[in-house]
Amino acid sequence: MTSVREIFETMEYGPAPESPKPAQAWLDEHDGRFGHFIGGKFTKPSATFEVLDPAMSKHIADVSEGSKKDVDAAVKAARQALPAWQALGGHGRARHLYALARIVQRNSRLLAVLESMDNGKSIRETRDLDIPLVARHFYHHAGWAQLLDTEFAGYHGAGVVGQIIPWNFPLLMLAWKVAPALAAGCTIVIKPAEFTPLTALCFAELAAQAGLPAGVLNVLTGDGDTGAAMVAHDDIDKIAFTGSTEVGRIIRRATAGSGKKLSLELGGKSPFIVFDDADLDSVVEGVVDAIWFNQGQVCCAGSRLLVQEGIADRLYDKLRARMETLRLGSPLDKAVDMGAIVAPVQLERIRTLVEQGKQEGADFWQPTWACPTEGCFYPPTLFTNVAPSSTIAQVEIFGPVLVAMTFRTPSEAVALANNTPYGLAASVWSESINLALDVAPKIKAGVVWINSTNLFDAAAGFGGYRESGFGREGGREGMYEYLKKEVGRSGGREVANGKGAARKSSRTGASSSVSSRASAASSVSSRTSEARVGTSRKRAAELDDADRSPLVDRTAKMYIGGKQARPDSGYSMRIDAHDGRLLGEVGEGNRKDIRNAVEAAHAALGGWSKSTGHARAQILYYIAENLAARRDEFARRLGALTGGDGEAEVDACVERLFTYGAWADKYDGQVHQVPLRGVALAMNEPIGVIGVVCPEEQPLLGFISLVAPAICVGNTVVAVPSESAPLAATDFYQVLETSDVPDGVINIVTGPKDSLAKTLAEHDDVDAVWYFGTAEGVKAVETASAGNMKRTWCESAPRAWMDRGDGEGRAYLREATQVKNIWIPYGE
Ligand code: NAI
Ligand code: MG
C-alpha cells in the first residue's frame, strides 16, 4: 500500500472520475437517435450522422442533417410563434428566462457531463465554468427582458433569428445567443456545430419542460450546408454567427443586400503581453488559463505570448516547469487540467500547423510526459523564438499551442500586439497600473484583461474589432443586436416636403423615393471634360444674368487632407439646379482620389481620436457658428439645388452640429458590474476611418447628420456627398477651413456615388462604411465589405432627416463607436 509519506513526495493524484450515468440515461431515453427540435417537439430522425466522444473515439449518438425542408419547417414554427411571444411583453418573457436559468441549474450535472462527453472538454471546466455561466446568462437576460420597455424605449425585437454556433463552448454559445434574443422578443432557429449537437438538443427539451412556448426555440442539427440554408432563408430577419473568419466572410457576402441584421463573432490571435515588472508566478497561471483552458480551442485564447526581453528566459523556464505538471486525460476525471481535442480533423489541423512552425524555424517544446495515443489528445506546446510574420504567429491554431515573441519597449509591444488582422481580445500584465492602462486603449481588441485573462460575464459585452467580426454579446450593448428601431416612419412625410426627394420624383415620374433616388443619381453622370468647363462657365453666367437668380458658377474641388484637390481623372460632372439649369460642376472622383483621401484620414486619425471630447465639441460648435454666419448663402445654394426650403435645412444643420457638440463629451461608456473584485470598463472607442456615403435627399443635412456623429466620437471620415446635389457639401469645406477642423479629419470626394462607395468598401484601410442610397448600392457595399470584415451601416429606405428622432441621436453614436471592455481586477 502507498504510504502517506510517499503520497506527499510524489503528489500523485488518484483518478476521480465523474459518472457518465445521467448523460448516458438521457441518451438511452432517446435510443441515441435524434431528429430536430421544431415547434416544441423532436422530429423523426432522418439522414443521420454520427456524434463522437473524442476522448474515447467512441460513437455516442446519431443526429439528423437538416435539409432545406427542415430549415423551412423550423423557420415557419418560429414565425408562427413570434406574435404571441412578442405580445407576452417584457415581464412575461422575463419569467420564462428566469425559468430557463433555474432549469439549467437543476440539471447542471447532466448538462456538464453531456458537454464533456460530446466535446472532450474537462468536467472541471463544464461544471465550474460553462454551465454556471449559461445559468448566469439567462438570469442576466431575464433582467433585460424585464427592463426592455424602459431601457430600450422605441425598440422592438428583430423578428425570427437564425443562430449558428461553434463547437468550442456548445451550450455557452447557445446561451449567449438565445438569452438576449428571447429577452428582446425574437423567436429562434439555432444550429449547433456538427461536432457538438447534444447539449443544444437536451436544452431544447428542458426548455419545453420549463414551459417555453412551442416554436419559440427551434434546434436544427447539421453541418455547414444546413447553416448555409439558414443564412439563405428569406424569412429570417437576423443572422448571428460565431465561428471561423472564413465562414463569417461567406455569410457576410451571402446576406449582403438581403436586409438581414448580422452579427459575427469570429476568430482571433490574441496577444498576451507581459511587461518586465509583472508578477511572473501569476503570469504563469494566467498563461495556463489563456491557452490551455479548453485545450486552446477558444476564440479569444491568449495564443501569442509577447514578453519583455529581459524576463523572457526566466518566464519560459517557469512555463516549462508548469507545463510538466499539467495533467491531461479523460475529460470526466475531475483532476485533469486538459481534456481532448473536439474531433480528429481539428487534431490534424493542429499537427499540421505545428509541423509548419518547426519548419519555419521556431524553437519547439513539449513536456516530457506521454500524451495518450488513444482518443483526440494533443499536449500543451510552446514555441519560442518565433518570427512575427511566420504562419504560427499569424494563423489561429485553435489548439494548445503557445507562440512566444519578445519586445523591448511598450510601443513595440503595442505594435506587435496589433500586428494581426484580428482584434478580439488581449491580456496585459504589469504591476504598474499606469502602464497597463496606457497600453489597453492602444490595443485593437474588443476585450482587454489587465492582469487576468479569459474572464467572461453576461453583464460585459464580448466581441471583436476588424477580422474578428462585429457586434457584441452580453451587456446592454449585446441587446441591441436583437433589437430594431423603426426609421423613416415618424417624419417620412417631412423628407418628401424637404423637397429633395419630391423634386426627383416629379422630374423622373417615379413614385417611390428609393427608385427616384437611383434615377436621380444616374441622371447626373453626364461626363464633361475639363476642356468643356470654359463653355459651361459661360452658360452658367448667362443664366445668372438672365434670371437674376443668385447662381454662382464654380467648379467645386474635392477636399482632401485639408486642401482643395482636383480630381485625378481630370473630369468633371455637371450639376444642375432643381429647374434643370446648370449650377456648376464637381470633380469626378475615382479610386485614386479615394486612396488619397483614406491616406489623409488615416494620418489625421491618431491625433483626432486622442483629442478630448471637449476639444471636439468646441470644433463642432465652431463649425455650427461659421455655418450660421453664412446661412443665407447656403440657404440660397440649397434652394437652387433642391427647390426646397434652404433656410430650414441650414437651420437644421446648425442644430444638428450643436447636438453632436453636446454629445462629444457625453457619450460615456459604462462600468459593468461583473462578479469579481474589480470592474469592467466599457469604453466607447471610435472605429477609425469611416467612409460616409451620403443620401441624395437634403444634401447638406444628410451630409452633416452623418459626418457630425462620426467625428464627434473621434473617427475621421471620407465623405461622398449626394451625387445629384453635391455642391452644398463642397461649399461646406470653406466652413471647415475656418473652423479649426484639423486637416484630414473630414475629406470630401465627389463623383459617381455607387462606384466610390464600392471603392471605399473594398479598401482595407477603411474601418467602416455608411451608405445611404439604392438597394443595389447596399448590396454592393455589404458584399465588398467582407474583404477586411469592416462594419457597415447601409440603408436604402429614406430617413426623415429633419426629424430629430430619426435624424440624430444615440443610434448614430452607436454606429460610430465600438465598445472595448477593459477588465480591471483589484485587491492584493
Ligand atoms: P466553422 O466556422 O466552419 O464552424 C462554425 C459553425 O458554422 C458550425 O456550426 C458550422 O456547421 C457552421 N458553418 C460552416 N460552414 C457554414 C456556412 N457556409 N454557412 C453557415 N454556417 C456554416 O469552423 P470549423 O470548421 O468547425 O473550425 C475551423 C476553424 O475555425 C478552427 O480551427 C478555428 O480556427 C476556427 N473556429 C473559430 C471559432 C471561434 O469561436 N472563433 C469557433 C470554431 C472554429
Ligand atoms: Mg462530439
Side-chain angles (χ1 to χ4, degrees):
M1 222 178 109
T2 330
S3 70
V4 172
R5 186 200 172 101
E6 277 166 350
I7 292 174
F8 251 88
E9 271 166 7
T10 60
M11 286 300 268
E12 275 293 342
Y13 294 76
E18 173 72 48
S19 164
K21 271 194 195 132
Q24 196 54 56
W26 179 77
L27 290 171
D28 292 344
E29 245 173 66
H30 295 271
D31 294 329
R33 289 172 61 76
F34 295 87
H36 310 290
F37 197 87
I38 297 177
K41 50 184 188 298
F42 281 108
T43 61
K44 243 176 71 195
S46 67
T48 57
F49 61 93
E50 292 190 351
V51 180
L52 183 81
D53 171 344
M56 314 272 284
S57 294
K58 197 175 99 188
H59 166 205
I60 48 172
D62 294 283
V63 300
S64 305
E65 166 75 16
S67 64
K68 250 181 119 262
K69 245 177 80 195
D70 298 321
V71 175
D72 276 342
V75 173
K76 207 161 151 208
R79 180 62 63 189
Q80 271 169 4
L82 186 64
W85 184 242
Q86 291 190 330
L88 210 51
H91 176 62
R93 294 197 298 273
R95 284 170 170 245
H96 279 288
L97 282 149
Y98 175 71
L100 291 175
R102 294 288 299 122
I103 205 159
V104 166
Q105 285 183 313
R106 285 201 301 277
N107 291 275
S108 57
R109 195 50 64 102
L110 162 66
L111 292 167
V113 173
L114 191 60
E115 194 81 302
S116 283
M117 284 166 67
D118 196 359
N119 170 282
K121 59 169 66 191
S122 75
I123 185 76
R124 190 174 58 84
E125 285 175 12
T126 56
R127 184 196 59 198
D128 299 346
L129 271 148
D130 293 64
I131 309 302
L133 279 174
V134 169
R136 160 96 183 116
H137 236 77
F138 283 104
Y139 276 119
H140 182 79
H141 286 88
W144 282 128
Q146 179 68 27
L147 301 177
L148 200 70
D149 294 351
T150 51
E151 293 300 301
F152 298 93
Y155 285 82
H156 63 85
V160 172
V161 303
Q163 306 181 320
I164 300 170
I165 55 175
W167 41 260
N168 51 347
F169 295 90
L171 194 63
L172 184 57
M173 290 300 105
L174 175 144
W176 279 24
K177 293 211 162 25
V178 166
L182 292 182
C186 300
T187 55
I188 298 168
V189 178
I190 186 166
K191 189 194 84 62
E194 53 272 43
F195 300 138
T196 55
L198 297 179
T199 45
L201 293 169
C202 186
F203 176 82
E205 198 182 62
L206 292 173
Q209 277 172 27
L212 192 71
V216 168
L217 171 70
N218 305 279
V219 177
L220 278 177
T221 50
D223 60 11
D225 291 341
T226 312
M230 286 169 63
V231 169
H233 202 288
D234 284 346
D235 204 27
I236 287 183
D237 301 301
K238 178 203 159 96
I239 294 285
F241 172 79
T242 298
S244 60
T245 296
E246 188 193 343
V247 173
R249 208 168 257 135
I250 294 173
I251 293 178
R252 168 69 289 185
R253 294 195 175 115
T255 53
S258 68
K260 286 190 180 83
K261 244 174 111 83
L262 180 64
S263 52
L264 299 173
E265 202 267 89
L266 309 174
K269 189 78 183 176
S270 300
F272 187 107
I273 307 169
V274 185
F275 288 101
D276 59 10
D277 65 347
D279 168 0
L280 289 196
D281 293 316
S282 301
V283 167
V284 169
E285 291 314 306
V287 171
V288 171
D289 280 342
I291 187 69
W292 295 310
F293 166 57
N294 205 24
Q295 294 67 252
Q297 303 167 127
V298 183
C299 50
C300 53
S303 53
R304 283 187 299 146
L305 177 64
L306 313 180
V307 196
Q308 201 152 16
E309 210 170 62
I311 54 158
D313 287 333
R314 203 145 55 87
L315 179 59
Y316 298 160
D317 285 344
K318 277 178 183 281
L319 269 176
R320 291 188 194 105
R322 181 66 178 95
M323 289 165 79
E324 288 287 8
T325 67
L326 285 173
R327 289 169 54 85
L328 180 150
S330 165
L332 289 183
D333 183 338
K334 283 175 247 176
V336 302
D337 297 302
M338 291 173 64
I341 301 297
V342 72
V345 37
Q346 283 300 119
L347 184 61
E348 208 32 59
R349 185 184 147 87
I350 296 167
R351 287 188 175 137
T352 309
L353 282 164
V354 166
E355 275 319 303
Q356 202 160 341
K358 287 183 191 166
Q359 272 160 30
E360 283 175 338
D363 297 335
F364 161 88
W365 192 87
Q366 284 178 342
T368 55
W369 44 262
C371 184
T373 47
E374 300 289 306
C376 294
F377 291 96
Y378 197 86
T381 302
L382 173 67
F383 275 109
T384 50
N385 205 6
V386 177
S389 58
S390 63
T391 311
I392 52 168
Q394 291 292 331
V395 170
E396 183 176 43
I397 300 176
F398 230 62
V401 182
L402 180 64
V403 302
M405 286 160 269
T406 58
F407 64 86
R408 270 168 269 181
T409 60
S411 62
E412 219 177 276
V414 170
L416 212 49
N418 289 335
N419 178 22
T420 166
Y422 296 114
L424 195 50
S427 186
V428 180
W429 295 73
S430 166
E431 288 299 291
S432 158
I433 194 70
N434 286 334
L435 176 60
L437 288 181
D438 181 51
V439 165
K442 294 178 181 159
I443 297 175
K444 294 189 175 126
V447 187
V448 179
W449 294 292
I450 309 262
N451 292 327
S452 55
T453 192
N454 275 343
L455 298 173
F456 312 100
D457 185 58
F462 182 87
Y465 285 23
R466 308 205 278 185
E467 292 191 26
S468 292
F470 43 78
R472 293 289 179 268
E473 300 189 288
R476 178 188 290 271
E477 57 260 40
M479 283 300 295
Y480 286 107
E481 301 297 333
Y482 292 97
L483 291 167
K484 253 189 177 156
K485 188 178 178 200
E486 284 308 325
V487 296
R489 294 245 168 116
S490 51
R493 253 175 286 119
E494 265 185 90
V495 169
N497 292 350
K499 331 299 176 203
R503 168 180 69 93
K504 305 306 178 214
S505 303
S506 60
R507 197 161 80 177
T508 60
S511 54
S512 97
S513 25
V514 174
S515 58
S516 70
R517 204 183 308 178
S519 42
S522 56
S523 73
V524 293
S525 321
S526 62
R527 173 184 274 212
T528 55
S529 72
E530 286 279 40
R532 277 190 43 205
V533 172
T535 20
S536 321
R537 193 166 281 150
K538 209 161 122 215
R539 236 190 92 209
E542 284 164 11
L543 276 167
D544 254 2
D545 264 348
D547 274 65
R548 293 184 200 291
S549 63
L551 297 188
V552 185
D553 171 55
R554 193 178 291 141
T555 300
K557 304 281 187 310
M558 308 202 233
Y559 188 61
I560 296 177
K563 293 192 186 61
Q564 300 182 21
R566 288 176 192 284
D568 168 72
S569 67
Y571 288 114
S572 302
M573 289 164 58
R574 170 194 165 113
I575 301 303
D576 290 343
H578 70 102
D579 52 11
R581 290 173 301 149
L582 175 75
L583 193 52
E585 309 216 347
V586 295
E588 186 174 318
N590 66 13
R591 194 165 278 278
K592 180 86 189 309
D593 301 307
I594 292 283
R595 257 206 314 270
N596 294 340
V598 171
E599 215 170 281
H602 256 286
L605 185 62
W608 184 247
S609 64
K610 282 189 205 75
S611 64
T612 62
H614 174 64
R616 292 196 295 266
Q618 281 182 299
I619 287 173
L620 281 154
Y621 288 129
Y622 200 17
I623 300 175
E625 182 190 327
N626 285 323
L627 179 60
R630 295 172 67 170
R631 177 177 187 260
D632 293 348
E633 175 196 339
F634 273 89
R636 273 202 308 276
R637 171 52 62 105
L638 284 167
L641 276 166
T642 68
D645 183 346
E647 286 175 4
E649 187 169 342
V650 176
D651 291 345
C653 289
V654 171
E655 190 178 341
R656 196 129 300 164
L657 287 160
F658 262 72
T659 292
Y660 291 107
W663 271 120
D665 62 353
K666 292 174 194 65
Y667 191 54
D668 296 330
Q670 283 194 292
V671 183
H672 286 312
Q673 302 215 21
V674 288
L676 98 156
R677 278 201 68 204
V679 291
L681 305 180
M683 301 195 3
N684 293 323
E685 291 195 338
I687 297 176
V689 173
I690 304 185
V692 175
V693 185
C694 301
E696 289 305 301
E697 70 270 9
Q698 291 183 303
L700 190 60
L701 184 59
F703 174 92
I704 284 177
S705 299
L706 295 170
V707 169
I711 65 166
C712 151
V713 291
N715 299 288
T716 58
V717 302
V718 175
V720 177
S722 157
E723 180 173 339
S724 53
L727 291 174
T730 51
D731 289 351
F732 190 66
Y733 62 60
Q734 298 155 6
V735 175
L736 298 178
E737 277 172 341
T738 54
S739 308
D740 292 346
V741 181
D743 295 350
V745 170
I746 301 175
N747 305 278
I748 303 171
V749 177
T750 49
K753 179 165 143 181
D754 280 9
S755 123
L756 295 175
K758 184 155 174 283
T759 306
L760 280 167
E762 283 165 351
H763 200 302
D764 275 348
D765 276 336
V766 173
D767 302 293
V769 173
W770 298 355
Y771 171 87
F772 289 74
T774 62
E776 307 85 79
V778 168
K779 183 167 183 181
V781 166
E782 288 181 345
T783 306
S785 73
N788 69 345
M789 300 304 289
K790 60 175 64 68
R791 258 172 78 174
T792 56
W793 176 22
C794 295
E795 288 185 8
S796 60
R799 276 196 176 233
W801 298 105
M802 296 292 278
D803 180 88
R804 287 190 71 184
D806 214 10
E808 66 177 49
R810 278 183 181 272
Y812 288 75
L813 295 164
R814 256 199 319 281
E815 291 291 348
T817 49
Q818 48 197 348
V819 182
K820 172 183 278 178
N821 275 279
I822 303 181
W823 292 63
I824 310 170
Y826 45 62
E828 279 296 308

